[in-house]
Amino acid sequence: MTERGEMLGWVAVEIEDKVLRILKLTAGEYDFASPPEGEVNFILDTLMRSAASYGEDKGANFIETSFPDFHRFFAARGFSVGETNVSTPMSTIVKYE
């Protein structure tokens, strides 16, 4: 994600067995020591939703990630939090109308 040539953040994903896995999600120098706020929260949310849209377009019907720094971020968006991962059906993020 860039704005006027400045890198704001990026997301890395993989799709396997109709599951979109978010492997890495980053926004600038944000270090996850505290909950994201303001622009950082917007960037992370936009990247997560972009990844979900990409996954849905490629046939994924479920989203998961396993890095604990983001469990609170994802839980606030409707993901179920397990001991080692967070997950949700694609329909939690990608709305079908």
Side-chain angles (χ1 to χ4, degrees):
M1 179 177 191
T2 61
E3 180 177 50
R4 296 185 201 130
E6 177 187 352
M7 174 67 76
L8 300 178
W10 54 271
V11 60
V13 301
E14 71 179 5
I15 299 173
E16 184 177 340
D17 298 326
K18 297 192 178 232
V19 175
L20 172 79
R21 284 188 190 83
I22 298 177
L23 304 173
K24 180 78 174 172
L25 183 63
T26 186
E29 301 297 317
Y30 178 63
D31 64 3
F32 310 100
S34 60
E37 296 180 352
E39 184 176 337
V40 169
N41 191 59
F42 172 77
I43 291 167
L44 294 171
D45 189 72
T46 300
L47 289 168
M48 181 270 304
R49 291 177 187 283
S50 295
S53 179
Y54 170 81
E56 194 274 336
D57 187 53
K58 300 297 181 187
N61 55 22
F62 211 75
I63 308 169
E64 70 177 30
T65 188
S66 60
F67 38 94
D69 293 340
F70 278 103
H71 284 190
R72 285 182 289 167
F73 173 82
F74 286 107
R77 284 148 183 84
F79 284 66
S80 297
V81 178
E83 288 188 32
T84 60
N85 72 349
V86 296
S87 59
T88 193
M90 189 64 71
S91 60
T92 302
I93 304 303
V94 178
K95 303 300 180 192
Y96 306 97
E97 306 234 0

